[in-house]
Amino acid sequence: MKKLTLGLITILLVISSVFAASNDLEIFSWWTGGGEEEGLLALFAKFNQYYPNINIINAAVAGGAGTNAKAVLKTRMLGGNPPDSFQVHAGMELTDTYVIPGLMEPLTNYLREWGVYDKFPKDVMEIVSYQGEVYSIPVNVHRGNVVFYNKKIFRELGLTKEPTTWAEFFAAMKKAQEAGYIPLALGDKNKWTLTHLFENIMLSVFGPEGYKGLFNGKTSFDSPELEMSLVLLERLIPYFNRDHSALTWQDAGRLVFEGKALFNVMGDWEEGYFKTLGWKPGVDFGWFAVPGTDNAFMFISDTFGLPKGAPHRDNALKWLKFIATKEAQDIFNPIKGSIPARIDADKSRYDVYLTWSMNDFATVAVVPSIIHGSAAPEGFVTTLNDALNRFIVKKNISNTLRDIMWAAEDQGYLTE
């Protein structure tokens, strides 16, 4: 009898463990700090109110812009060990890396079934589609071409007008340097932040149509504007903090927050980060478009998709249906420092910065980011990262131009 009871208990424990495992949901991302982590956890909390029996496994991997996470994810996907759903940037990062190799399930029919297909801008849906099928759900929209600044230092320096030209920007940085402040904070310990700055310089020099043309075959990389962009980057170097190569993007942001630096060029996830530190937008920190880019919106979007072979596919679909809702997007984005991908957001929930971003998104030219996966495939981005990180040390424009041209040729971009 005792043996029978023990056997029954063993069977029940096995059944229980199988049931528990079947009710898991592994979400893979690189949201591990600041407003991004808080926003993700807020989504998890609301999701569990609807599905209290689903055990969420937060498989976040630290590393700015997903530097480390992307490598881990790629290994898992190619090794046949996918998470249930994962964060991926809209555009080439999604399409070239996972859709074309046949690793993702299309979501078009689900979006129509859930009644949300037409709740996203057409242009955004095109970026997350391939050959007419949608492969991921955008949860937000970030703007990359933003300069954040410390308003107290700005006033102290006697500055009253936010720079709109590079001449005005350099004049403001000179004042900051003379007063003992770091003019332009940079943290390029992870290579992507320097490329983030450079792509915004390129946008300024090429203009929105010329910049987009680099990736759609209408503009040649063999253009004087590319060299002009490198010259402008070289002019900025003396205004960086000397320890930039030892800092992350959050560290650079803290230099602004702590009153040590005036400016920082960063995507508006920094707005979410500043708010977690207790700063108020428009009161403690200000912002403006990178000089020469106020007619453009550098588009970055975080999305989630459904990998083939997801271990808990039904739970993954529940997650995707949830993040496509207006409720989820209005929970996540005000915390993250981003605007919703949906067109029917509750604008009253968004602060003065995010309202500014929403208005520009609806009115100015939208252009894809290189470093954040929208414009170019991984191979080009990696080579550009390496070339720029050599450039910041050696300042050799001709060699850097050569390396970028070679990378463009490898991808079939126009170079003549």
Side-chain angles (χ1 to χ4, degrees), residues 53-115:
N53 294 325
I54 292 179
N55 174 46
I56 297 176
I57 300 170
N58 182 5
V61 175
T67 307
N68 301 325
K70 291 172 189 176
V72 173
L73 177 63
K74 194 170 184 180
T75 299
R76 290 187 58 179
M77 291 289 286
L78 294 177
N81 180 33
D84 293 309
S85 186
F86 60 87
Q87 176 192 4
V88 61
H89 285 137
M92 291 300 290
E93 182 179 307
L94 164 70
T95 306
D96 192 64
T97 313
Y98 298 114
V99 175
I100 293 174
L103 301 174
M104 304 297 291
E105 288 195 40
L107 298 171
T108 317
N109 290 337
Y110 292 109
L111 288 166
R112 291 199 172 105
E113 178 187 322
W114 301 334

Side-chain angles (χ1 to χ4, degrees), residues 355-378:
T355 301
W356 172 80
S357 181
M358 271 192 260
N359 290 338
D360 273 10
F361 184 61
T363 56
V364 303
V366 176
V367 300
S369 165
I370 303 169
I371 190 59
H372 301 289
S374 301
E378 183 183 4

Side-chain angles (χ1 to χ4, degrees), residues 16-27 47-48 51 53-58 83-85 310-319:
S16 176
S17 66
V18 169
F19 176 78
S22 69
N23 247 17
D24 284 344
L25 171 65
E26 185 186 10
I27 303 299
F47 179 82
N48 273 144
Y51 304 102
N53 294 325
I54 292 179
N55 174 46
I56 297 176
I57 300 170
N58 182 5
D84 293 309
S85 186
H312 312 98
R313 186 176 180 278
D314 289 344
N315 290 346
L317 285 169
K318 290 183 176 74
W319 165 256

Side-chain angles (χ1 to χ4, degrees), residues 11 125 135 157 178 199 229 250 253 285 298 333 372 399 408:
I11 291 169
M125 293 306 277
Y135 281 92
L157 296 174
E178 290 172 347
E199 72 178 8
S229 298
Q250 292 101 325
F285 67 94
M298 184 69 81
N333 286 292
H372 301 289
N399 284 356

